[in-house]
Each structure stands twice: as structure tokens, then as C-alpha cells.
């Protein structure tokens, strides 16, 4: 996932050393594909390379490296999943381990800043036999998907990171919005969370979430990239209507969702018709929102239903791949 630089930066700034574990090669049946990454500190771990015995072995090796300050900055291991680990998968995984500390802050900031700006970025690392490495950051014109490539003859490790495949603008910092942000924080997306009341935002938000405090959100709607996802769930029905009208005026939205009942939908349809909104765009408004069949009214249940609907839509439209 391309949000790992944000996770790494946050932990390094908190004074921790880390190991980045990447699936460098995956042959046959394996839990995760090439390019999957995981982060380890001495006491915690983030993301996943597939769980089970494979992940346990990776954690053990990562913490050996973390216990060797001044030691090698990288190492690799080849793991046949069946013979070595007793897993049902019959494939072979090669893992690359890279230690991260304050010496890596500059290139990590470059990676993270480029991704947050919505641009693709490449990291080219020369892995030296003595355990050191040199890192070069580049911005290619086009990267469609995450890619890792190791050239053993040259000792070069190339990692391509595309920007998050989904941009989500979430209007409203109420209970549902807060619950939803926690779920979206684990998904391959970039979230702009918008409200006029700064006191409602929690002190900590996921690394892929940016906060915007404003009572004039029109510019944010206009500046959003094409094929953005919009979720309207503010505290004010009048504001909801104004936001929906502004968003639906854009012809290039991927998804426009409004929290509410069928009664609210009918009221909004009528008012949008009175304001001259084309019927085709009114029908693009998703309300009620949430995956059908998930019917609870608790904020956490609504959040799960909405996240599931967004994922289903993104997969159906080819914005996400399996």
C-alpha cells in the first residue's frame, strides 16, 4: 500500500527505529503479491504481508535487525512456504528487510510529500554487499500500480508507488463521519475530511486523512480531482442540499453519496428539480447510502456499510484491482 511512507514518518518522528519488510518476489501460491509491505518496531507492527507463520518469521527477523544498531541496513530471505513454514500455500516468498531511522527521513519525506500531492513516485535503492544502501527518489510521468523489482546482478531495488487510487471528500465531522474515517484510514484512499467546527475533529486521525476547517467548501469541491468520491453527512440539511447541488454540477464525479432516509431523498430530488438540476444527475445521487442488507443505525454500523459500498463501487468501476 502506498501509504506506508506516512506511517513510517509518524513513527520515526516519535523516536522509533523501524524495519520495512517488502515481498520482493512471490512465486506460486502465496498469501500476498509482490509489492506488499509491512512495518515493524520493537513492540508493534502495521499492515500485513499475509499473516500466519510467514508474518511471525518476518517479525522475528525484523526485531533481530532492530537489535543491531549500526548493523546492516538491509537483508533478504527466501522462504518456501510449505517446506520451511508448514503453510498450506505451496509458493515461495522472498522478503526484503530495510531498517529505517532518522538517516532515512529526507527520502521518506520526499516519497510522502509526492504521494500526498497526488503524484506517482519511484524509489531506486542500490543495495551494497556491505549492508549499506543508497536511495534516489524520482517522479515518473506515469505509474499505474505498485511495482517492486529487484535486479540481483546490479544490486538495485526499484519501487514504484502510485498515488492513492481513490480520493474521497467527506463533509461532516459527526459521529458517523468519525467512525467512517477510522475505516477509510485502513484502505487505499486519500481522504479530505471537511467541517467548519474544528473542535469536532479528533486529536489523531489516520495518516491518509487530511483535515480542512472551512465554512466555504465550494473551492474544495471545484479543486477535487476528476473521479473523486463525495460523501455528504453534515449537521445541517440546508448545507447538505447546497453541497449536493454544487457537487452534482460537476460532470466528472465517481460517486456522490448523501446520508439520510428515502424521505430525505425525495425532498432533495424535488428541491434539486426546482433549481434546474438535470434529472440524469439527480439520479446519480446515492441516498440512502450504505451496502444493502446492513441495516443498523449505530454510527459504527453505518460506517461499515458505507465503506463496503464505496469498495464495491470502486472494484466494479476498475478503480481497485484484486
Amino acid at each position: 500500500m502506498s501509504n506506508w511512507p506516512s506511517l513510517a514518518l509518524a513513527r520515526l518522528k516519535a523516536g522509533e527505529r523501524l524495519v520495512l519488510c517488502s515481498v520482493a518476489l512471490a512465486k506460486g501460491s502465496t498469501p500476498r503479491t509482490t509489492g506488499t509491505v509491512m512495518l515493524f518496531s520493537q513492540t508493534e507492527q502495521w499492515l500485513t504481508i499475509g499473516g500466519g507463520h510467514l508474518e511471525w518469521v518476518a517479525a522475528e527477523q525484523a526485531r533481530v535487525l532492530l537489535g543491531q544498531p549500526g548493523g546492516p541496513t538491509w537483508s533478504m530471505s527466501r522462504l518456501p512456504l510449505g517446506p520451511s513454514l508448514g503453510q498450506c500455500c505451496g509458493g515461495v516468498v522472498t522478503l526484503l528487510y530495510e531498517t529505517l531511522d532518522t538517516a532515512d527521513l529526507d527520502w521518506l519525506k520526499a516519497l510522502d510529500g509526492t504521494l500526498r500531492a497526488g503524484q506517482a513516485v519511484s524509489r531506486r535503492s542500490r543495495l551494497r554487499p556491505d549492508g549499506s544502501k543508497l536511495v534516489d527518489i524520482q517522479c515518473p510521468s506515469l505509474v499505474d500500480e505498485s511495482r517492486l523489482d529487484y535486479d540481483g546482478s546490479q544490486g538495485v531495488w526499484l519501487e514504484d508507488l502510485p498515488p492513492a487510487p481513490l480520493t474521497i471528500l467527506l463533509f461532516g465531522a459527526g459521529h458517523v463521519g468519525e467512525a467512517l474515517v477510522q475505516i477509510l484510514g485502513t484502505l487505499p484512499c486519500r481522504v479530505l475530511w471537511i467541517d467548519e467546527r474544528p473542535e469536532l475533529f479528533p486529536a489523531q486521525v489516520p495518516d491518509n486523512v487530511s483535515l480542512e476547517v472551512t465554512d466555504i467548501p465550494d473551492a474544495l469541491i471545484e479543486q477535487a480531482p476528476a473521479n473523486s468520491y463525495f460523501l455528504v453527512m453534515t449537521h445541517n440539511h440546508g448545507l447538505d442540499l447546497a453541497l449536493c447541488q454544487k457537487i452534482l454540477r460537476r460532470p466528472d464525479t465517481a460517486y456522490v453519496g448523501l446520508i439520510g432516509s428515502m424521505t430525505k431523498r425525495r425532498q432533495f430530488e424535488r428541491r434539486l428539480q426546482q433549481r434546474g438540476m438535470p434529472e440524469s444527475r439527480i439520479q446519480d445521487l446515492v441516498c440512502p447510502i450504505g451496502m444493502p442488507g446492513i441495516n443498523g443505525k449505530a454510527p459504527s454500523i453505518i460506517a461499515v456499510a458505507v465503506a463496503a459500498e464505496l469498495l464495491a463501487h470502486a472494484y466494479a468501476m476498475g478503480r481497485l484491482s484484486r
Side-chain angles (χ1 to χ4, degrees), residues 20-37 49 54 58 74-81 85 91-97 127 148-150 152 157:
L20 175 68
C21 176
S22 306
V23 178
L25 296 170
K27 296 182 178 180
S29 177
T30 59
R32 301 297 299 273
T33 58
T34 299
T36 307
V37 301
I49 56 171
L54 171 65
W74 69 274
S75 67
M76 299 187 80
S77 63
R78 181 179 180 274
L79 300 169
L81 299 180
L85 305 182
V92 178
V93 171
T94 300
L95 299 180
L96 169 68
Y97 304 89
L127 308 178
L148 293 175
D149 185 32
Y150 177 63
W157 171 255

Side-chain angles (χ1 to χ4, degrees), residues 229 231 255 257 286-292 294 303-315:
Y229 285 63
L231 288 166
Y255 174 98
V286 180
C287 180
I289 53 175
M291 183 70 76
I294 305 177
V304 168
V306 172
E309 183 171 74
L310 294 180
L311 284 175
H313 184 280
Y315 278 113

Side-chain angles (χ1 to χ4, degrees), residues 135-217:
V135 178
D136 179 45
I137 302 301
Q138 300 173 349
C139 296
S141 58
L142 179 65
V143 172
D144 292 326
E145 59 183 15
S146 295
R147 181 175 71 91
L148 293 175
D149 185 32
Y150 177 63
D151 182 347
S153 64
Q154 299 295 319
V156 172
W157 171 255
L158 180 65
E159 179 178 22
D160 287 342
L161 292 172
L166 304 181
T167 296
I168 300 172
L169 280 77
L170 171 59
F171 295 89
H175 296 303
V176 175
E178 184 172 1
L180 180 57
V181 156
Q182 297 307 312
I183 299 173
L184 296 178
T186 67
L187 302 179
C189 62
R190 172 179 172 266
V191 181
L192 186 60
W193 193 12
I194 305 150
D195 203 291
E196 63 188 27
R197 302 161 295 172
E199 68 276 6
L200 292 188
F201 289 122
Q204 298 291 328
V205 296
D207 294 294
N208 62 338
V209 176
S210 299
L211 305 180
E212 186 71 35
V213 179
T214 180
D215 56 0
I216 311 174

